[in-house]
Amino acid sequence: MSRLQLNDLKVSYDGKVNILEDYNLEIENGTLVSILGPSGCGKTTTLKAVAGFLEAREGEILIDDEDYSKVPINKRNFGIVFQSYALFPNMTVYQNVEYGLKLRKVPVEQRKKQVLDILETVELISLKERKPENLSGGQRQRVALARALVISPKLLLLDEPLSNLDAKLRIEMRSQIKKMQQKFNITTILITHDQEECFSISDKVAIMNDGKIEQYDTPENIYSSPNSIFVADFVGFKNLLDVTKIGKGLYKLRNGKEIKAKDVNNAKKIAIRPQNIVVDQKVESLIEGHIKVRTYLGDSYQYEVDSELGDIVVNTSDSIVLNTGDTIKLNFPESEICVLSN
Amino acid sequence: MKKSKLLTIFVCLVFFYLIYPLFITVVASFNSKDILTFPIDGFSFKWYISAFSSSYISGFSISFRVGVIATIISLFFGIPVAYGLAKYNDKFTKRIKNVFFSPVLIPGIVLSYSLFLCWVFIAKEFDMKLPKLLVLMLAHIIILFPYTIRVIGGAFDKFDFIIEDAAISLGASKKDFILHILLPSITPAIVSASVLSFITSFNNIPISIFLYGRGATPLPIIMMQDVEKYGDPSVAAVSVVLLFITIGITFLIEKTLGLNNYGR
């Protein structure tokens, strides 16, 4: 329904140190964008600035080219789902959902229909007379979602909405969120620190570090080709090794061995995921080391290897199980290597 | 589970210790002689007639008015203070909290004497004799504040202040939030605080002792004076009436709101 643009946003808590500086982000109409990053990276600050709980010192918050940065919070018409759900304890499920419409003075009959419709969608009709204290975490979450959606918001903001739920419920709820987002075709920002959570349902992901967006792309692109060392590390490229470029698509490791990979200018490091390293004890290897720690992951074993290039983590489902102290030979398939320049 | 005999005996002893003095008062109030004796010499209702004499009724009316008004005013100012203290819970507010709770720590009689000195000072310096009823009310408000702030603050401590953000994001103004969500959420605590405050004010002697005067003498003070002056069982009868009023109020609140659920 609406397109969001953040242009050169500057945000600070104390008026001195900017948590966000020259912050730019564009979200297409009807898409779900996740902002992902470690705690303290500024993702919640971004949400607060968009919602209006923090006033941007400079820059614009454009929704369909209209500047919202000076619009009061209660006039913005954004639906927000808070981490703690923040349901009104004195109201029933029905009253919680109805509240936003009541404030908008929607006529009683129409209001009733809208509330019942959305409660039906989130499967809460049978619980509509309950108070929040008598609901489970997942049910509260659905009330919070219904309450935010019933006002037909221009923008849906979700602040770590799944972090208080157990693993199984989290998977259920994230598909529910996706379903609702698509049904209402609503532009959505999801704040999270959980990579799996956001990759599974987002159209695009913005990875944040230290107040800046490191990479903004589709989950697939970020997963396969991170553009910085930070992003690579964050999305599971646990092994990062220093290299020197010696030719087109040819690099030298610190142990003197050469390796072929995608050609990147100013390449500084190569990265590879633990599960993509090939363990073969018979052929000549790129790196050799000794196993420090072995852990069992269910479908595979993980080895922490002490090598000449530092610690390397390898996952292998090989039928031959190696023991602590054994020598292990590692090779990196060319297609799985990610070359990084910064 | 098998009950321990020793424990049962202990509980009975403590219970007896609590109830026995009241039992004596109730019996003594029916004495037909005009002295306080136990057991009584004969049975009579006459002291109950004097319990409703004009001096007790006016004392009751003073105590009731002071109690109600002091309770309302302490709530009116106490709720915002409690809200602020709970919401902005930093070093500064922690220190402020100690100040708000200080009347509980200061002996009532010291506070009473201090306020009496203030009254004398104002009377001397400004040639203005403040009405005793007003001074009495102001004094009672001071002792009620800590109770109000503590009980209401307890409810706010459990309140998730993000709820305010949620309400505002849905289109509510600050006033909407306070009237529709904040106050209804703490109604039980408001009721508890009111009852506690009223009873505290109504029973209080130390704070009133230097401040009462003509047309502003609360019931407990009148009772105290009458025991000294006459020593007849009419005060026992007044006590029994008060006892049953208190039991009645507690019962009513228990029935309508369930004090147990909210006192916590």
Side-chain angles (χ1 to χ4, degrees), chain B residues 102-195:
Chain B
S102 64
V104 177
L105 307 172
I106 296 169
I109 194 128
V110 174
L111 196 61
S112 177
Y113 181 65
S114 311
L115 287 165
F116 173 67
L117 288 186
C118 287
W119 184 83
V120 171
F121 175 78
I122 291 171
K124 247 190 184 164
E125 293 296 314
F126 301 99
D127 197 24
M128 186 170 66
K129 278 193 177 172
L130 292 177
K132 278 287 171 74
L133 194 61
L134 177 73
V135 179
L136 210 54
M137 272 176 196
L138 292 176
H140 279 235
I141 291 167
I142 292 178
I143 55 157
L144 295 192
F145 260 136
Y147 294 101
T148 312
I149 293 172
R150 216 166 254 198
V151 174
I152 304 281
F156 281 142
D157 283 341
K158 280 180 265 166
F159 192 80
D160 179 5
F161 289 99
I162 300 287
I163 289 172
E164 185 173 342
D165 288 349
I168 288 170
S169 79
L170 285 169
S173 63
K174 200 109 184 170
K175 193 180 120 209
D176 291 333
F177 163 70
I178 291 169
L179 292 180
H180 300 154
I181 295 152
L182 189 69
L183 291 180
S185 299
I186 59 153
T187 307
I190 294 177
V191 173
S192 299
S194 309
V195 173

Side-chain angles (χ1 to χ4, degrees), chain A residues 74-331:
Chain A
N74 56 357
K75 301 274 183 281
R76 288 193 186 198
N77 201 37
F78 294 168
I80 307 175
V81 174
F82 296 87
Q83 191 171 5
S84 62
Y85 316 134
L87 300 180
F88 308 136
N90 59 317
M91 298 186 188
T92 62
V93 167
Y94 183 92
Q95 290 166 332
N96 261 279
V97 177
E98 186 192 27
Y99 190 61
L101 297 176
K102 231 177 175 173
L103 291 168
R104 282 165 181 72
K105 304 205 162 54
V106 175
V108 180
E109 278 309 304
Q110 193 191 335
R111 198 155 83 198
K112 194 173 169 193
K113 191 183 166 301
Q114 274 179 274
V115 174
L116 292 178
D117 273 357
I118 198 125
L119 285 177
E120 188 119 48
T121 321
V122 295
E123 294 159 36
L124 281 173
I125 278 284
S126 58
L127 304 177
K128 68 176 162 37
E129 296 307 328
R130 285 221 195 152
K131 289 273 181 74
E133 58 181 347
N134 300 322
L135 298 176
S136 70
Q139 290 162 346
R140 287 178 200 191
Q141 224 273 331
R142 268 144 51 199
V143 178
L145 194 59
R147 186 178 68 178
L149 284 169
V150 80
I151 58 172
S152 313
K154 281 203 155 69
L155 206 62
L156 181 63
L157 305 173
L158 309 168
D159 183 14
E160 305 251 9
L162 306 176
S163 58
N164 287 338
L165 303 176
D166 63 53
K168 191 168 159 272
L169 208 51
R170 215 176 300 170
I171 295 171
E172 262 175 58
M173 281 313 302
R174 75 183 184 212
S175 69
Q176 174 126 25
I177 287 175
K178 184 70 183 170
K179 223 166 64 191
M180 300 290 281
Q181 187 261 336
Q182 284 172 336
K183 183 180 152 108
F184 293 92
N185 188 33
I186 180 167
T187 313
T188 303
I189 300 179
L190 172 72
I191 303 291
T192 179
H193 64 269
D194 183 335
Q195 184 206 323
E196 191 193 330
E197 172 180 318
C198 81
F199 274 34
S200 61
I201 60 171
S202 308
D203 297 305
K204 269 178 143 186
V205 176
I207 300 211
M208 274 188 75
N209 179 29
D210 202 16
K212 288 192 175 63
I213 294 176
E214 292 263 342
Q215 190 168 7
Y216 181 43
D217 210 332
T218 61
E220 293 85 349
N221 284 346
I222 290 179
Y223 192 81
S224 61
S225 34
N227 68 356
S228 72
I229 294 163
F230 175 82
V231 176
D233 187 41
F234 200 75
V235 299
F237 286 86
K238 285 207 177 134
N239 303 299
L240 288 153
L241 301 170
D242 292 333
V243 289
T244 343
K245 191 170 176 176
I246 52 172
K248 191 170 161 39
L250 197 62
Y251 307 93
K252 198 162 106 185
L253 286 166
R254 276 211 323 252
N255 65 357
K257 300 253 170 121
E258 287 171 14
I259 188 167
K260 271 198 207 162
K262 210 179 107 195
D263 188 53
V264 172
N265 289 332
N266 300 321
K268 286 200 182 75
K269 279 181 194 282
I270 59 163
I272 189 159
R273 292 176 193 275
Q275 64 270 32
N276 293 333
I277 296 178
V278 174
V279 178
D280 194 333
Q281 303 292 65
K282 295 183 193 84
V283 299
E284 201 200 334
S285 66
L286 187 70
I287 299 167
E288 221 178 89
H290 297 282
I291 295 171
K292 271 205 305 195
V293 181
R294 185 184 75 188
T295 36
Y296 181 54
L297 302 178
D299 55 351
S300 63
Y301 282 96
Q302 183 169 75
Y303 301 111
E304 278 176 43
V305 178
D306 182 20
S307 83
E308 55 218 346
L309 298 178
D311 285 358
I312 292 177
V313 183
V314 189
N315 291 5
T316 171
S317 48
D318 212 19
S319 53
I320 306 157
V321 180
L322 299 167
N323 293 314
T324 310
D326 285 359
T327 307
I328 187 169
K329 293 180 170 184
L330 310 172
N331 275 304

Side-chain angles (χ1 to χ4, degrees), chain B residues 3 13 24 50 89 96 105-106 115 122 133 137 154 156 159 163 195 203-204 230 241 255 261:
Chain B
K3 278 182 198 161
L13 273 176
I24 290 193
S50 72
N89 195 9
I96 293 268
L105 307 172
I106 296 169
L115 287 165
I122 291 171
L133 194 61
M137 272 176 196
F156 281 142
F159 192 80
I163 289 172
V195 173
N203 286 333
N204 194 287
Y230 312 114
V241 172
K255 274 282 152 197
N261 293 334

